Amino acid sequence: MDKKTLIKDLKFIILTCAKYSARALYHIGTHVLSPKDNIILFESSNGRNYTGNPRYVYEEILNQGLENELKCVWVFMHPEAQKIPGNGIKVKRSYFKFLYYAIVSGAWVFDSRHLYYLKKNKKTKYIQTWHGTPLKKLGLDMDYIDMSGNQDIEKYHDEFIKNSADWQYLISQNSYSSEIFKRAFAFNGEMLEIGYPRNDILINNNNADYIDKIKSKFNLPKDKKLILYAPTWRDNEYYQKGEYKFATEMDFDAMKEALSDEYALIVKYHYLVKENIDWKKYDDFVIECDAEWDIQELYLISDVLITDYSSVMFDYAILRRPMMFFAYDLEHYKDSLRDFYFDMFEEVPGPIVKSTEKLIEEIKKLKVEDYELKYGQKYDDFQNKYNEFDKGIASKTIIELIRNGN
């Protein structure tokens, strides 16, 4: 065995021993240490980034000047790469400091399933915010899976049931979600029908001054209309477990040629997508998001949303702006990958197109008054059903629960 291989093997052994030692200490610690009401543990997207509902709860804590009262801890896979405002503590997922705070935190605020070996203290409030109104079947409603090659649906169901058993509270955006969550997550805790904290900004900050500040912050053009392209991920198109490809059949050359005089296109990957595409040839048209760009702010500055089967449609609908659905693989996606809870053709308040040519055609003839005339009633129905509980006070409600609730 050469020296390089030996060192690699030793590192693996050391890291493995450290990992299992940390977990052993964690389980011992759960019987020795008690949670403190003023410590809150936050995690978004399984520690991948600083975003979503947990982010907006945290920032409301800052806005209310509660930093000295509440000690906030953020969990990240790579803490050194994440920037957060305020005095929040950053810890590395699965490491000792993280496990310590998992034990002593009086509240967990997560938006995805927690690590399988964590066990919540009975005194810790677990507020599961989830990450969107369900369009595609999820959890126990799924009859099959093909996620990064994982096709064991029974194991997936078992893991979900064990995980959701710890959830004390679950946030819902609408009655539709509440019913699905109870069944799909086998959830027996308290449903908080208060809307999503991340959507408070769409209700409270939808004004010209705030939008102009965001454009300046991201150095976005102010002389063009902005299209946000935010597609979802495809379960079976991946590089490795948890890292998915940017799957699209959009012809960016054609989009640029037809639209660049009037529009710029912001491309926002799903958080599970890992890509390193060179967009330089589209420099004056395509704008690739930096990792820290928050999608709620991108909603606010966008004149049009293009998506496919992503739950971004439910949040964006709050703004009542034009939406288009580039669903080039609709039949395959629905029949072979993930079943839908609803009929896109009947419900979505915008055109469903399957080619770039048709998409360009719809954008070129787009006028807000014409769009409203054609899709106004569908938009009314869509908002009434899916934005039912979004009132702009969800973050404040969560903070009140953490500070004063039982």
Side-chain angles (χ1 to χ4, degrees):
M1 182 182 294
D2 58 44
K3 186 176 180 181
K4 189 175 182 180
T5 302
L6 178 62
I7 292 173
K8 183 179 179 181
D9 289 346
L10 285 172
K11 284 183 177 179
F12 175 77
I13 292 169
I14 292 170
L15 286 173
T16 301
C17 291
K19 178 173 71 173
Y20 285 102
S21 296
R23 293 181 190 177
L25 288 173
Y26 168 76
H27 286 291
I28 293 171
T30 58
H31 296 288
V32 177
L33 302 173
S34 297
K36 300 176 182 178
D37 290 340
N38 68 322
I39 302 177
I40 309 172
L41 191 68
F42 292 92
E43 183 182 86
S44 291
S45 308
N46 300 122
R48 288 178 174 85
N49 48 40
Y50 171 67
T51 189
N53 290 317
R55 168 182 174 163
Y56 281 93
V57 174
Y58 171 68
E59 292 188 1
E60 180 61 26
I61 288 173
L62 304 187
N63 292 338
Q64 292 187 24
L66 298 174
E67 276 190 283
N68 293 330
E69 176 185 334
L70 300 173
K71 184 175 184 178
C72 299
V73 183
W74 270 92
V75 181
F76 295 115
M77 290 181 176
H78 305 287
E80 70 285 351
Q82 301 294 332
K83 297 178 182 178
I84 62 173
N87 299 323
I89 298 169
K90 296 186 292 185
V91 297
K92 190 173 179 65
R93 201 174 196 243
S94 292
Y95 281 61
F96 286 98
K97 199 171 182 181
F98 156 70
L99 295 172
Y100 168 74
Y101 280 114
I103 297 170
V104 301
S105 291
W108 293 356
V109 181
F110 296 173
D111 71 356
S112 300
R113 288 182 291 161
H114 57 277
L115 281 166
Y116 69 93
Y117 59 82
L118 293 185
K119 187 66 178 176
K120 182 188 78 71
N121 188 292
K122 290 181 179 180
K123 295 181 181 179
T124 299
K125 297 171 185 172
Y126 188 164
I127 303 168
Q128 173 57 252
T129 72
W130 203 241
H131 47 265
T133 282
L135 184 156
K136 298 156 284 191
K137 287 191 176 180
L138 73 169
L140 305 186
D141 283 349
M142 294 171 64
D143 298 321
Y144 59 89
I145 58 169
D146 186 5
M147 295 181 179
S148 306
N150 176 21
Q151 298 179 335
D152 190 340
I153 189 65
E154 290 185 6
K155 181 180 179 183
Y156 177 77
H157 285 171
D158 288 343
E159 289 174 350
F160 228 118
I161 291 171
K162 290 176 183 176
N163 207 280
S164 64
D166 271 338
W167 304 355
Q168 186 178 357
Y169 302 98
L170 176 59
I171 294 179
S172 172
Q173 191 176 15
N174 44 62
S175 300
Y176 157 90
S177 294
S178 296
E179 292 306 309
I180 291 173
F181 287 162
K182 289 174 187 175
R183 180 184 68 248
F185 297 156
F187 179 67
N188 295 312
E190 182 176 344
M191 190 71 68
L192 300 177
E193 295 182 321
I194 60 173
Y196 282 145
R198 68 189 186 199
N199 289 337
D200 292 346
I201 190 176
L202 304 183
I203 297 168
N204 301 326
N205 296 83
N206 184 15
N207 60 73
D209 289 342
Y210 194 85
I211 290 169
D212 188 72
K213 288 178 182 178
I214 297 173
K215 288 182 178 180
S216 297
K217 181 173 72 170
F218 294 152
N219 195 28
L220 297 172
K222 298 181 181 181
D223 59 343
K224 291 185 178 182
K225 296 177 183 177
L226 297 174
I227 301 171
L228 174 61
Y229 180 39
T232 192
W233 51 291
R234 269 63 177 174
D235 300 38
N236 63 342
E237 296 191 42
Y238 59 92
Y239 293 109
Q240 60 183 13
K241 184 176 181 180
E243 293 189 5
Y244 293 83
K245 298 179 180 180
F246 178 55
T248 184
E249 290 188 7
M250 183 176 286
D251 184 338
F252 293 98
D253 291 304
M255 292 283 285
K256 178 181 178 181
E257 183 178 350
L259 302 171
S260 59
D261 287 345
E262 187 177 358
Y263 292 94
L265 180 71
I266 302 171
V267 178
K268 177 66 172 175
Y269 302 143
H270 188 277
Y271 75 87
L272 291 176
V273 169
K274 301 296 179 184
E275 285 289 3
N276 188 27
I277 297 174
D278 186 356
W279 295 99
K280 288 180 182 177
K281 64 182 290 189
Y282 307 107
D283 232 4
D284 58 343
F285 178 61
V286 174
I287 301 167
E288 183 183 18
C289 297
D290 289 338
E292 67 268 17
W293 290 13
D294 186 71
I295 196 166
Q296 310 305 120
E297 293 182 323
L298 296 180
Y299 294 152
L300 279 173
I301 54 90
S302 298
D303 299 282
V304 183
L305 171 69
I306 299 174
T307 188
D308 45 18
Y309 327 113
S310 171
S311 64
V312 299
M313 69 176 74
F314 301 115
D315 291 356
Y316 193 78
I318 291 171
L319 301 173
R320 203 181 177 90
R321 297 178 191 169
M323 291 192 281
M324 298 184 180
F325 301 86
F326 184 53
Y328 60 87
D329 57 349
L330 179 58
E331 284 76 17
H332 175 67
Y333 191 91
K334 185 174 180 180
D335 296 339
S336 304
L337 298 178
R338 297 279 289 277
D339 290 333
F340 293 171
Y341 282 114
F342 79 150
D343 187 337
M344 280 190 65
F345 290 100
E346 291 296 323
E347 293 201 51
V348 296
I352 299 173
V353 300
K354 298 182 180 181
S355 69
T356 301
E357 181 182 20
K358 184 63 176 175
L359 181 62
I360 291 171
E361 180 184 322
E362 290 289 346
I363 294 171
K364 274 186 167 291
K365 70 181 184 183
L366 178 64
K367 291 183 179 179
V368 173
E369 59 270 23
D370 294 339
Y371 177 90
E372 185 66 28
L373 184 65
K374 188 172 183 179
Y375 297 104
Q377 185 57 55
K378 271 196 169 183
Y379 229 129
D380 287 342
D381 296 340
F382 198 84
Q383 287 182 314
N384 289 337
K385 182 174 180 179
Y386 298 113
N387 303 129
E388 181 184 3
F389 302 138
D390 287 308
K391 305 298 181 184
I393 57 171
S395 296
K396 292 178 180 178
T397 304
I398 293 299
I399 292 168
E400 184 177 346
L401 173 65
I402 291 171
R403 297 176 73 199
N404 305 315
N406 296 322

